[in-house]
Amino acid sequence: MDGTVSPGAAASEVREALESAALVVGEPRLLHALGAPPSARTVEIGDPDAALEEIDIAQGRGQAVVVVAEGDPGFFGLVRALRARGHTPRVLPALSPVARAFARAGLPWDDALVVSVSDAESLRRAVNVCRAHPKVAVLTAPGAGPAELGRELFPQTPRSFIVCESLGGPDERVVNVRPAEATTRPWRNPEVVLVLDSRHAVGASRWLAGAAPGPPGWALPAGAFAQDDALRPDVLAFALAKLGPRIGDMVWDIATGGATGGATGGGAAGGSIAIECARLGAAAVAVERDDASCERVRDNVRAHEVRVAVARGEVPGVLDHLPVPDAVFVSGGGQGAVRACAARALRTAVIAVSEAAHVRPACAALTAEGFSAEAVRLQATRLAPFEERPSDPVCLVWGERTEGRQAGRPQVPAPRRAETIAELPEGPIG
């Protein structure tokens, strides 16, 4: 392959690559901008797989091929697909759309997370990243742009958007909007949306690009939370291991006030699970039944300087207003509450109960919702620096969705397309 080039790369190298090409592949506007030589055959990228097949055929004939891509094709671009098919392209990159977007905004971006959206599932995960992190660049796609991001984030997650359209071209537009406004404005060709928590848009200097390093420890001691019934570290550690929180996930920490007690977390234990998940990079929601409990969770959230949404309500009614979870932690509750929470989980459910008699009903509830079901009884004894009496036993029930029930798993709603309305007055930023 002769090369993968981007408008804005070194002009002489681009011209040399094009003049030797038998096949030039790219989006129509990029092909028009570069001007393929008359001797070369051109293929527009409509169906990427079909375009890659054309490249394979031309390369099999020993013909020189040039692929024209936007920005840096090695960054969420075509280079990966070409390498996966056995090609070894010479890459002539230009400035990536993300670099251009942050330059237009006048912000550093070594601490930004960058996500690329291609379908409903990647949009859902991208929104979770925006909920959990203060500076995110979203590479958009049709049906997954500023309007859809605004719909998912407003009003629960206070953020500001910088929407970048046609970067580097004659129709470039960079607009600063609130999420609610983003749902109603007409957008022409949004390439990148910067989703920012304005209070932390600059960020601290650090050695690692992208997501911050994880916490130095997890399964915090009970004294790290401002209440007496916090989950013990051994229970926290086991629950977190089964929940598996990660960047892009949404985790629910649900207090039902049901069949729990003592140090099991009768309630959501001050949101300790949600806080631990947030420290590990996931988006999290803590649900409590009353205002006083919600305020205790907020106190803990502020103390640990994490981002956790707090909701008040009873299961199952409160669940209808929450984002789709990858994993759920339920503290107590009867079979009805457990089933209601598990039914919405995409991957994992963990249930804490204080009495062994509640284990079998919890296992049955998970099985009924298409999960595997396992259980363990945890009891720990501190031996140093001083010995304590054994802690009260706590039972954890957990399960993962089984392959046989994938058809019944909760469906991620398809993103709704923004309605195009008459042009509004433009509001570009400097």
Side-chain angles (χ1 to χ4, degrees), residues 57-335:
I57 293 170
Q59 285 279 277
R61 295 171 177 167
Q63 297 175 336
V65 179
V66 169
V67 181
V68 185
E70 192 77 65
D72 182 351
F75 189 73
F76 289 110
L78 279 169
V79 171
R80 177 173 283 104
L82 293 171
R83 296 289 300 199
R85 298 172 82 97
H87 302 299
T88 54
R90 179 168 67 101
V91 181
L92 305 177
L95 199 62
S96 75
V98 174
R100 287 183 186 273
F102 278 105
R104 299 296 188 269
L107 289 171
W109 65 287
D110 49 9
D111 58 337
L113 277 72
V114 182
V115 295
S116 178
V117 176
S118 59
D119 54 24
E121 172 63 7
S122 59
L123 174 62
R124 183 188 72 84
R125 296 190 69 81
V127 169
N128 287 337
V129 174
C130 295
R131 290 181 174 118
H133 299 273
K135 186 189 296 184
V136 182
V138 181
L139 295 165
T140 64
E148 291 75 19
L149 289 168
R151 245 181 238 117
E152 294 297 324
L153 292 172
F154 179 80
Q156 292 87 359
T157 308
R159 292 291 185 268
S160 61
F161 289 0
I162 297 178
V163 182
C164 303
E165 299 179 301
S166 302
L167 284 167
D171 297 324
E172 177 178 302
R173 184 171 67 162
V174 180
V175 184
N176 197 340
V177 296
R178 296 180 299 274
E181 185 183 356
T183 65
T184 59
R185 287 189 67 119
W187 302 107
R188 290 196 287 258
N189 181 33
E191 297 173 276
V192 182
V193 180
L194 305 184
V195 182
L196 306 172
D197 180 341
S198 299
R199 300 165 298 176
H200 305 284
V202 175
S205 176
R206 62 173 194 241
W207 62 274
L208 179 67
W218 45 281
L220 296 169
F225 302 99
Q227 70 283 329
D228 295 332
D229 62 346
L231 289 173
R232 300 193 315 259
D234 57 307
V235 179
L236 264 176
F238 196 97
L240 289 169
K242 297 306 177 184
L243 291 167
R246 55 190 175 171
I247 292 175
D249 282 354
M250 167 59 68
V251 182
W252 289 356
D253 183 356
I254 306 291
T256 65
T260 63
T264 69
S272 53
I273 286 287
I275 288 168
E276 292 273 17
C277 290
R279 295 175 72 235
L280 295 168
V285 177
V287 176
E288 288 283 358
R289 303 175 69 204
D290 57 74
D291 290 335
S293 297
C294 288
E295 193 53 42
R296 283 196 295 273
V297 173
R298 293 188 183 98
D299 288 342
N300 286 325
V301 168
R302 286 189 287 267
H304 290 280
E305 299 180 334
V306 293
R307 294 169 183 83
V308 172
V310 181
R312 179 179 61 82
E314 297 278 356
V315 175
V318 69
L319 306 181
D320 294 334
H321 308 288
L322 304 182
V324 175
D326 295 273
V328 298
F329 176 83
V330 185
S331 186
Q335 279 187 290

Side-chain angles (χ1 to χ4, degrees), residues 416-430:
R416 295 172 289 174
R417 290 185 177 273
E419 180 183 358
T420 301
I421 61 177
E423 285 282 344
L424 298 175
E426 295 187 9
I429 63 175

